[in-house]
């Protein structure tokens, strides 16, 4: 089986896990699919741009981040294998975030205008979009609660549960930014947890 076929099969499986897509609709999606590759540190999109595609990660890791007026970055989320993502759910509104590859990334992308055109005539893709937006909002709410209510150790445990095995694939200062703590605090937390595990 060609690698592209493996990617397409994985895409279909993950879409159906979120909300079942009928075969005819999926075949129409395939007609406009492109496979893209990003190198480490490549920007997928920049804050202020308009969303043009919905993408699916086949291989690699990306980060969603925001830059404040002082030029400081803070990470809002990480995108890993089998995740769907876009710079915005509304193609008519400028994005408030940037997305960057942390590792080499291979992704499948579909133009948003094609997706929304299909949604007007196919209920299965419409339900998929709604469920995907709901899941994205739930992840944002979970992170917000984590930042407000947990101490540094619990925040780190939240990260390792949400993103298993990711800590050894990306720079730790990205993790600290996501958790709302300093790299020094993160280092102390990791050492404390490691020492407890060895006891």
């Amino acid at each position: 089986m060609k690698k592209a076929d493996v990617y397409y099969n994985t895409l279909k499986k993950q879409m159906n896990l979120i909300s079942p897509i009928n075969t005819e609709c999926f075949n129409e999606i395939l007609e406009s699919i492109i496979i893209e590759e990003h190198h480490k540190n490549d920007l997928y999109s920049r804050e202020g741009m308009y969303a043009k595609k919905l993408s699916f990660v086949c291989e690699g890791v990306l980060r969603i981040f925001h830059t404040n007026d002082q030029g400081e970055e803070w990470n809002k989320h990480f995108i890993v294998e089998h995740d769907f993502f876009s710079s915005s759910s509304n193609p008519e509104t400028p994005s408030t975030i940037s997305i960057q590859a942390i590792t080499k990334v291979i992704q499948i992308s579909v133009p948003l205008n094609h997706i929304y055109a299909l949604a007007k005539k196919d209920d299965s893709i419409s339900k998929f979009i709604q469920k995907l937006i709901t899941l994205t909002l739930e992840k944002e709410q979970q992170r917000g609660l984590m930042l407000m209510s947990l101490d540094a150790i619990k925040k780190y445990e939240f990260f390792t549960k949400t993103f298993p095995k990711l800590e050894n694939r990306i720079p730790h200062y990205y993790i600290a930014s996501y958790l709302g703590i300093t790299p020094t605090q993160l280092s102390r937390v990791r050492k404390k947890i490691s020492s407890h595990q060895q006891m």
Side-chain angles (χ1 to χ4, degrees), residues 30-87:
L30 285 181
E31 292 176 4
S32 62
I33 271 180
I34 57 173
I35 296 179
E36 300 177 302
E37 183 175 314
H38 293 289
H39 297 291
K40 181 180 178 180
N41 297 326
D42 282 354
L43 277 173
Y44 168 90
S45 65
R46 191 182 297 277
E47 200 167 331
M49 296 175 62
Y50 290 84
K52 295 184 178 180
K53 55 191 175 183
L54 174 67
S55 299
F56 172 79
V57 183
C58 301
E59 300 176 22
V61 183
L62 305 97
R63 68 182 180 120
I64 297 176
F65 67 97
H66 173 73
T67 306
N68 64 21
D69 294 337
Q70 289 72 45
E72 299 169 328
E73 298 176 355
W74 55 279
N75 294 315
K76 294 186 65 178
H77 198 61
F78 297 108
I79 308 165
V80 298
E81 284 87 358
H82 302 170
D83 279 347
F84 292 88
F85 69 101
S86 179
S87 57

Side-chain angles (χ1 to χ4, degrees), residues 82-113:
H82 302 170
D83 279 347
F84 292 88
F85 69 101
S86 179
S87 57
S88 173
S89 60
N90 185 350
E92 298 181 359
T93 303
S95 173
T96 58
I97 50 92
S98 298
I99 303 177
Q100 181 183 38
I102 304 178
T103 67
K104 176 184 175 181
V105 172
I106 297 176
Q107 68 191 39
I108 290 173
S109 294
V110 185
L112 274 178
N113 57 6

Side-chain angles (χ1 to χ4, degrees), residues 10-25:
T10 303
L11 171 67
K12 184 176 184 179
K13 178 182 177 181
Q14 295 301 317
M15 291 184 77
N16 284 328
L17 284 174
I18 293 173
S19 186
I21 305 292
N22 69 57
T23 301
E24 182 180 344
C25 181

